[in-house]
């Protein structure tokens, strides 16, 4: 087994060398006085040309964690984030909730105000060092991280960092939180010998219970109208291939339930559309067997659900979503497994049990449904082309028209997948279901960081745009050469809030008066002007016929290295 001996001047130096050794290549920082020895260490590495994670300043903590999130989902590599003590942690917390609910690993770290009041290098020397101390700094995040700890002594460095990485990457994955006191970072640890490569590997796929696979396969093979519902399996391209294999093996229709990735190609004849609030998929009520794959909310029981006696199978790394306080979907057959590992086994078993003749017949019927549904969506979008204002369906369709092999879309809210054909795994990332608004802008930067060759488009509502710390994102786009095209679907309101009021009070005063206090975002800012703050490209778009060319101009600017913003005035139901 290999080892390396480091000769750092400080614990901070050893820490950065250790992170690099463990494959952490990006360090997203929002610094304070707690970073003193890290600033010094990075400067030294830069001078000496030594390997360390790339330090990247991000002016808001929420953006830094959202970037780490995008970086992981697009590239499979976790990043380190470091923020300033308790206050930085608080700013980051919404993004940590998001990472937690999406099982996204983030090495989340924060300084810890100096422990000592005098007498040690790094001891307190500012008023903040008293006022920023918490009784329990990690308490703020404890519900949403898998593990938290404080680095108490330099000698613990390797074991503590390896424990963090081990748990972050063990399934189900998620963020971990480590606090780093200033005196410990500044301490002189002497020579440090570390195992290299690490001997704390925890990446391990979960394989399914063979009896459950067999049971599920019989159910799916015997059914006349089996259905797959999926939200999040597509983070792994192998799972997309597995889903195609399974769907074809059993002639099973697939519905994406509020998808946060591309799970199944939109153009595949077995793709039967989407299940989302406001448009319950008709296949749900018709199904006589259901397989749920990595879907926390496969349907909305209050709006539309499967018939009573339909057998239901749940497949996922944690098919019970153990960290959700309440979730009561019926489960007759649980399959706790990595989808990429389980789906091929299930496909093989279904193929063994399936009646080929019935399957061929059903595949034909489903292809007809697919064509018919797609035709209706196409018609809806095309109808909006002739309106005088831009409709969401038309806007989505126009965006679909400019996508190519190089484009990746990060979507926060407005882009309705019915009107845009995503077919490639890894070409679409949406806001996870915890929906802490603002995710999209930072996540898009992380995607660009992971895939420098890609053209990244962030689609956001005007509401989401405000929440995304747009100026910090624009700064990071220019400073770190991560240009993104941001398309704001600007309906000048928080329409979700209005829909919420209408849903709970369908005959209320708000509806009768057409007034929804606390939901209007007027007067709407000239968002496109913000691009000018970083010498980017900005444009306001008002008419349906202008949109295709405006999208092309925005893309050309981004491909030329400029951040770009299109402020698209649009409505769900255009005039
Ligand atoms: C941090 C945070 N605050 C508030 C909300 C509640 N919320 C959900 S959707 C929404 C409005 C989003 O507005 P926009 O992006 O313009 O989309 P629209 O609702 O108009 O479709 C709000 C405020 C939230 N999800 N997250």
């Amino acid at each position: 087994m290999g080892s390396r001996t480091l000769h750092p001047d400080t614990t901070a130096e050893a820490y950065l060398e250790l992170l690099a050794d463990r494959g952490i290549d990006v360090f997203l920082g929002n610094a304070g006085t707690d970073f003193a020895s890290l600033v010094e260490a990075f400067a030294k590495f830069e001078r000496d040309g030594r390997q360390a994670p790339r330090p990247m300043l991000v002016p808001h903590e929420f953006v830094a964690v959202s970037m780490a999130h995008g970086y992981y989902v697009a590239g499979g590599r976790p990043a380190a984030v470091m923020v300033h003590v308790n206050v930085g942690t608080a700013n980051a917390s919404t993004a940590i909730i998001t990472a937690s609910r999406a099982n996204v690993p983030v090495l989340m770290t924060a300084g810890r105000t100096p422990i000592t009041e005098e007498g040690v290098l790094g001891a307190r020397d500012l008023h903040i060092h008293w006022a920023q101390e918490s009784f329990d700094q990690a308490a703020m995040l404890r519900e949403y991280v898998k593990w938290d700890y404080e680095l108490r002594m330099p000698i613990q460095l390797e074991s503590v960092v390896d424990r963090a990485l081990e748990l972050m990457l063990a399934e189900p994955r998620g963020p971990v939180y480590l606090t780093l006191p200033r005196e410990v970072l500044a301490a002189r640890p002497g020579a440090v010998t570390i195992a290299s490569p690490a001997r704390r590997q925890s990446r391990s796929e979960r394989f399914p219970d063979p009896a459950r696979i067999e049971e599920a396969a019989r159910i799916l093979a015997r059914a006349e109208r089996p259905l797959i519902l999926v939200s999040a399996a597509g983070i792994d391209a192998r799972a997309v291939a597995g889903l195609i294999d399974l769907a074809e093996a059993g002639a099973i229709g697939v519905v994406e339930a509020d998808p946060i990735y591309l799970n199944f190609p939109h153009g595949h004849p077995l793709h039967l559309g989407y299940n989302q609030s406001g448009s319950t998929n008709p296949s749900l009520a018709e199904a006589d067997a259901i397989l749920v794959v990595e879907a926390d909310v496969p349907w909305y029981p209050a709006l539309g659900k499967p018939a009573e006696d339909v057998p239901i199978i749940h497949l996922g790394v944690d098919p019970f979503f153990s960290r959700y306080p309440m979730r009561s979907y019926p489960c007759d057959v649980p399959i706790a497994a990595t989808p990429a590992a389980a789906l091929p086994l299930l496909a093989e078993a279904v193929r063994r049990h399936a009646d080929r003749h019935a399957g061929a017949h059903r595949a034909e019927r489903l292809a007809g449904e697919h064509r018919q549904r797609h035709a209706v969506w196409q018609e809806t979008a095309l109808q909006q082309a002739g309106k005088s204002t831009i409709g969401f369906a038309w806007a989505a369709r126009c965006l679909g028209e400019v996508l190519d092999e190089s484009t990746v879309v990060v979507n926060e809210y407005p882009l309705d997948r019915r009107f845009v054909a995503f077919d490639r795994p890894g070409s679409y990332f949406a806001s996870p279901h915890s929906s802490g608004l603002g995710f999209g802008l930072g996540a898009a930067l992380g995607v660009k960081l992971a895939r420098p060759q890609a053209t990244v488009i962030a689609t956001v509502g005007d509401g989401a745009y405000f929440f995304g710390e747009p100026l910090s994102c624009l700064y990071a786009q220019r400073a770190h050469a991560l240009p993104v095209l941001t398309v704001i679907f600007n309906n000048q309101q928080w329409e979700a809030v209005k829909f919420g009021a209408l849903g709970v009070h369908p005959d209320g005063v708000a509806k009768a008066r057409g007034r929804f206090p606390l939901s209007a975002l007027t007067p709407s800012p000239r968002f496109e002007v913000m691009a000018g703050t970083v010498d980017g490209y900005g444009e306001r778009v008002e008419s349906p016929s202008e949109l295709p060319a405006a999208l092309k101009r925005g893309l050309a600017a981004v491909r030329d290295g400029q951040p770009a913003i299109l402020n698209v005035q649009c409505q769900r139901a255009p005039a």
Side-chain angles (χ1 to χ4, degrees):
M1 297 294 168
S3 67
R4 281 175 58 201
T5 299
L6 317 176
H7 299 279
D9 284 338
T10 60
T11 310
E13 268 182 45
Y15 173 61
L16 295 180
E17 286 204 73
L18 182 61
L19 290 185
D21 187 89
R22 298 318 191 225
I24 301 285
D25 54 1
V26 166
F27 184 104
L28 301 156
N30 192 290
T33 50
D34 43 352
F35 280 55
S37 301
L38 286 162
V39 170
E40 176 64 13
F42 275 123
K44 210 179 276 181
F45 286 133
E46 194 181 280
R47 182 196 64 193
D48 301 342
R50 274 156 67 196
Q51 198 201 353
R54 176 179 169 192
M56 301 175 75
L57 186 156
V58 184
H60 197 284
E61 298 84 349
F62 173 75
V63 177
V65 179
S66 302
M67 280 178 74
H69 192 134
Y71 188 65
Y72 176 77
V73 294
R77 300 174 72 87
V81 178
M82 181 157 171
V83 300
H84 177 58
V85 298
N86 57 353
V87 288
T89 301
N91 274 356
S93 57
T94 302
I96 288 292
I97 294 173
T98 306
S100 161
R101 289 301 194 230
N103 295 339
V104 165
V106 177
L107 178 60
M108 179 67 198
T109 69
R112 188 244 187 260
T113 213
I115 298 163
T116 51
E117 292 174 285
E118 58 185 316
V120 179
L121 182 64
R124 301 180 183 193
D125 55 11
L126 289 166
H127 52 72
I128 58 168
H129 295 152
W130 280 264
Q132 287 181 338
E133 187 168 32
S134 304
F135 287 108
D136 184 357
Q137 188 172 307
M140 258 186 283
L141 293 185
R142 190 160 293 130
E143 185 167 347
Y144 298 101
V145 295
K146 293 181 67 183
W147 169 92
D148 67 85
Y149 201 72
E150 181 163 299
L151 181 65
R152 294 175 193 147
M153 292 193 280
I155 198 168
Q156 292 179 293
L157 183 69
E158 183 184 19
S159 19
V160 167
V161 169
D162 279 347
R163 181 76 178 139
L165 300 179
E166 170 181 82
L167 291 176
M168 171 179 96
L169 291 171
E171 299 284 4
R173 295 179 173 177
V176 291
Y177 183 62
L178 174 64
T179 52
L180 303 164
R182 190 159 85 152
E183 299 94 319
V184 181
L185 287 176
R188 296 182 173 276
V192 177
T193 300
I194 59 167
S196 181
R199 297 204 48 211
R200 299 282 290 280
Q201 303 300 328
S202 61
R203 290 176 190 260
S204 179
E205 300 209 324
R206 291 191 170 176
F207 273 71
D209 175 347
R212 289 301 196 189
I213 288 286
E214 197 59 21
E215 205 181 341
R218 283 177 198 276
I219 290 171
L220 293 170
R222 269 190 216 135
E224 284 173 16
R225 291 177 309 281
L227 183 68
I228 297 171
L229 289 156
V230 56
S231 293
I235 187 173
D236 184 340
R238 297 172 310 156
V240 179
L243 271 175
I244 296 171
D245 189 19
L246 172 61
E248 291 176 354
I252 308 172
V254 179
V255 164
E256 290 186 84
D258 294 302
I260 67 171
Y261 306 112
L262 176 287
N263 298 289
F264 196 76
H266 180 87
H268 192 290
L270 292 170
H271 197 306
L272 296 179
Y274 303 88
N275 198 66
Q276 48 203 3
S277 183
S279 65
T280 300
N281 192 290
S283 302
L284 185 64
E286 294 162 8
D288 62 354
I290 288 182
L291 168 66
V292 174
V293 184
E294 289 294 4
D296 54 353
V297 185
W299 58 83
Y300 303 93
L303 305 180
K305 55 182 167 184
E308 266 305 308
D309 297 330
V310 170
I312 295 171
I313 307 152
H314 287 257
L315 188 166
V317 166
D318 172 16
F320 314 109
F321 293 85
S322 329
R323 298 297 303 153
Y324 286 31
M326 269 315 295
R327 183 178 180 275
S328 308
Y329 292 96
C331 176
D332 301 299
V333 182
I335 304 177
T338 311
L343 288 167
L345 300 175
L346 190 52
E348 188 271 324
V350 164
R351 211 167 255 125
R352 240 184 310 115
H353 291 293
D355 171 341
R356 275 195 200 162
H357 182 70
H361 192 66
R362 182 164 59 238
E364 220 167 276
R365 177 172 62 75
L366 293 178
E369 272 178 37
H370 166 92
R371 278 194 300 273
Q372 190 233 331
R373 290 178 193 180
H374 279 242
V376 171
W377 301 334
Q378 171 135 330
E379 180 63 23
T380 305
L382 288 176
Q383 266 177 9
Q384 293 190 353
K387 301 278 180 184
S388 56
T389 57
I390 301 172
F392 275 17
W394 172 248
R397 190 191 155 86
C398 291
L399 191 98
E401 296 285 308
V402 298
L403 301 181
D404 64 23
E405 290 291 300
S406 76
T407 40
V408 179
V409 170
V410 178
N411 176 34
E412 186 168 19
Y413 273 107
L415 194 70
D416 190 325
R417 288 269 303 269
R418 288 175 297 178
F419 308 113
V420 196
F422 288 98
D423 288 306
R424 274 178 306 117
S427 59
Y428 175 83
F429 301 99
S431 178
H433 294 168
S434 50
S435 290
L437 273 177
F439 164 84
L441 295 184
L445 291 179
V447 170
K448 179 71 181 166
L449 186 61
R451 302 207 200 141
Q453 306 308 325
T455 304
V456 180
I457 306 174
T459 55
V460 295
D462 51 325
Y465 188 75
F466 275 106
F467 281 94
E469 286 295 329
L471 198 55
S472 294
C473 290
L474 284 168
Y475 165 83
Q477 286 191 44
R478 183 168 62 170
H480 305 308
L482 301 170
V484 165
L485 169 61
T486 302
V487 183
I488 305 172
F489 286 60
N490 186 355
N491 59 354
Q492 308 202 0
Q493 60 180 314
W494 287 343
E495 200 167 21
V497 173
K498 175 173 152 183
F499 285 148
L502 282 171
V504 179
H505 301 284
D507 304 312
V509 174
K511 179 174 182 193
R513 301 191 68 216
R515 299 266 309 142
F516 294 85
L518 301 180
S519 72
L521 281 179
T522 48
S524 182
R526 285 185 285 129
F527 295 113
E528 68 282 7
V529 175
M530 287 182 77
T533 61
V534 292
D535 305 324
Y537 178 81
E539 190 176 337
R540 178 184 169 97
V541 192
E542 291 183 350
S543 93
S545 60
E546 275 175 30
L547 186 55
L551 283 165
K552 285 189 188 130
R553 285 190 291 273
L555 280 173
V558 160
R559 287 182 171 136
D560 211 30
Q562 275 182 297
I565 298 174
L566 294 185
N567 179 5
V568 181
Q569 306 301 302
C570 58
Q571 288 137 17
R572 208 162 293 269

